[in-house]
Amino acid sequence: MGKNLRRKCMLGGIILVLLFIAVAYAYFRVYTKTPEYAVKQVESAIETHDKAKFSRYVNMDSVLDSSYDAFVAALIKAQNSEGAEAKAAIEDFVHMMKAPLISSFKMATDHYIETGTWEQSADDEKNKKNPSMDVEQILEKTGLLETTFRGIDTIEANDATGTAVAHVQVFQQEANDIFVFDVKLERQDSGDWQIVEITNFQAFVSFVVAARQEKLKVYADTTEKIQSIHNTAMLRAQDNFMQTLSDGSLGNEETRMALKRLMEETILPDWQQRKSELEAVDVPAAAQSLQHLRLKICDLHIDYAEGYAAWLEDKKAETIREAERQLKQARTLEQEERFLARRMSGQK
């Protein structure tokens, strides 16, 4: 019985060793040569800041080349209001910038893998060969800066063609929605699988552009309503102002006090209310310049109303000169504001 037990134990041990060898072989010779493994290694490389591992499983030249072309195609497609010649000019320009931008992007990607951030240090910025190649601006335009990884949905492999597609789920903050990247992998001569392209990157950029355009439309509609209501109120106030003047004169104390009340109780509060309502609006990045201009115009009209009201009482020349300077600047900026508003809405 003792011998039989020892034989059984020895046989069991041999079976366990064989199973271990089989599992190890399956792992090192089979699993490590699968697209699933390659995708996991890319995740691991990013988490551990391993540039060598990342380069082994991602063909950056291929990914960047195709992604840049897709990015350009999506932006050109989004220029609905531009003519054919304008679109062609844009396309020529961005293709001319392709090589230096891709070079800069590769450097930025290396920096990201090493540090986990796209932000460059002061020394990195100083040592850039071409400071105009601002990768962060490209990332912002593509929507990648506001995109976070959520997980791998599925991976479909085709052994016959040596290709696979990993469906990678991300959350895009500007769109406030999920997008699934189709990441193409190819089997290499070594047996490793390597990421070579994001096949629906153009669709992703278009997805982001559409979300931004929708936000712009909401901003335009909301602020147009605010502006319209207050512009109508200002037309009524202007009529009251002119009527008060025609019924009296600036040399008359009663007329001056009536105009002062109009400034302090109607015009000034209306511009303050307009500014408050504009500040409460959600402002997309593309409308920041317009929003800043509108708030500046409000400030100028507020200063004018306060200054004019003060002049009606103190009658000092410097007081009215300063008030009129504020109004003149406001009128100048209002022309620029109308131009920016038309351009944002796609009007000529």
Side-chain angles (χ1 to χ4, degrees):
M1 291 294 294
K3 286 184 179 181
N4 286 336
L5 181 60
R6 282 196 296 274
R7 286 174 183 172
K8 288 180 180 179
C9 289
M10 186 178 297
L11 182 60
I14 292 172
I15 291 173
L16 287 175
V17 169
L18 290 174
L19 283 173
F20 176 79
I21 293 172
V23 170
Y25 178 84
Y27 182 81
F28 289 106
R29 291 292 184 179
V30 179
Y31 178 64
T32 60
K33 303 301 180 182
T34 63
E36 288 83 0
Y37 179 79
V39 172
K40 290 293 184 183
Q41 291 304 102
V42 172
E43 290 183 62
S44 171
I46 295 173
E47 291 173 358
T48 60
H49 310 298
D50 190 335
K51 272 194 346 179
K53 184 189 290 185
F54 185 83
S55 298
R56 178 177 176 179
Y57 293 99
V58 179
N59 185 331
M60 280 302 296
D61 289 330
S62 177
V63 171
L64 288 178
D65 186 77
S66 60
S67 295
Y68 186 86
D69 289 342
F71 166 63
V72 170
L75 290 187
I76 297 297
K77 184 179 179 181
Q79 302 301 314
N80 293 322
S81 60
E82 302 290 344
E85 291 185 6
K87 288 185 177 181
I90 295 171
E91 190 170 4
D92 288 343
F93 175 75
V94 293
H95 279 304
M96 179 181 68
M97 301 298 292
K98 181 176 181 177
L101 274 171
I102 286 181
S103 176
S104 295
F105 203 100
K106 287 179 70 175
M107 292 173 60
T109 302
D110 285 343
H111 178 80
Y112 177 79
I113 299 302
E114 288 177 345
T115 65
T117 177
W118 292 105
E119 295 180 4
Q120 301 286 306
S121 67
D123 288 338
D124 289 335
E125 291 291 337
K126 187 177 179 180
N127 293 330
K128 278 185 179 180
K129 292 182 180 179
N130 191 343
S132 66
M133 299 297 100
D134 194 338
V135 173
E136 189 168 331
Q137 288 184 10
I138 299 295
L139 286 169
E140 190 277 328
K141 286 185 179 297
T142 59
L144 290 173
L145 277 183
E146 300 294 331
T147 301
T148 53
F149 174 77
R150 284 293 178 86
I152 308 297
D153 273 358
T154 56
I155 299 177
E156 302 163 0
N158 187 329
D159 289 330
T161 60
T163 61
V165 177
H167 302 291
V168 180
Q169 190 178 98
V170 297
F171 179 78
Q172 214 294 319
Q173 187 172 330
E174 292 171 273
N176 193 32
D177 202 357
I178 295 292
F179 186 88
V180 178
F181 280 122
D182 295 334
V183 180
K184 181 181 178 182
L185 298 93
E186 290 181 353
R187 186 168 50 213
Q188 308 301 300
D189 293 339
S190 64
D192 289 339
W193 289 75
Q194 195 174 57
I195 293 174
V196 296
E197 183 182 359
I198 302 173
T199 59
N200 63 339
F201 192 69
Q202 181 177 343
F204 171 74
V205 177
S206 296
F207 166 77
V208 174
V209 168
R212 288 172 176 170
Q213 289 175 337
E214 179 58 28
K215 284 190 174 183
L216 272 178
K217 184 179 183 304
V218 171
Y219 171 82
D221 291 345
T222 303
T223 54
E224 182 182 351
K225 183 177 180 180
I226 292 172
Q227 296 284 79
S228 178
I229 290 172
H230 289 284
N231 287 342
T232 299
M234 282 301 96
L235 286 174
R236 288 197 300 267
Q238 185 65 27
D239 288 342
N240 290 338
F241 184 92
M242 297 307 295
Q243 186 63 49
T244 302
L245 270 181
S246 66
D247 292 343
S249 70
L250 285 173
N252 180 280
E253 185 67 17
E254 186 178 342
T255 300
R256 294 175 72 90
M257 290 304 99
L259 293 175
K260 188 173 186 293
R261 286 194 299 274
L262 180 63
M263 282 291 177
E264 292 180 335
E265 298 175 9
T266 301
I267 295 177
L268 177 60
D270 192 84
W271 278 104
Q272 290 171 330
Q273 180 63 25
R274 183 194 302 230
K275 182 181 179 182
S276 177
E277 290 174 14
L278 287 172
E279 286 177 328
V281 176
D282 183 24
V283 187
Q288 289 292 339
S289 295
L290 178 59
Q291 174 77 352
H292 177 76
L293 195 59
R294 283 171 166 168
L295 295 179
K296 177 63 177 176
I297 290 169
C298 288
D299 287 334
L300 289 168
H301 276 287
I302 289 169
D303 290 343
Y304 167 72
E306 290 175 339
Y308 194 90
W311 171 72
L312 288 168
E313 190 164 359
D314 69 24
K315 304 177 184 179
K316 293 180 180 179
E318 58 267 26
T319 303
I320 189 60
R321 278 199 300 267
E322 179 59 21
E324 289 177 343
R325 188 185 70 81
Q326 302 286 353
L327 181 61
K328 183 179 179 181
Q329 187 179 352
R331 297 296 188 222
T332 300
L333 294 183
E334 282 168 350
Q335 294 181 20
E336 186 178 347
E337 184 267 338
R338 285 191 289 271
F339 169 76
L340 286 179
R342 287 197 301 271
R343 192 170 73 173
M344 190 184 74
S345 63
Q347 299 175 17
K348 297 296 182 181

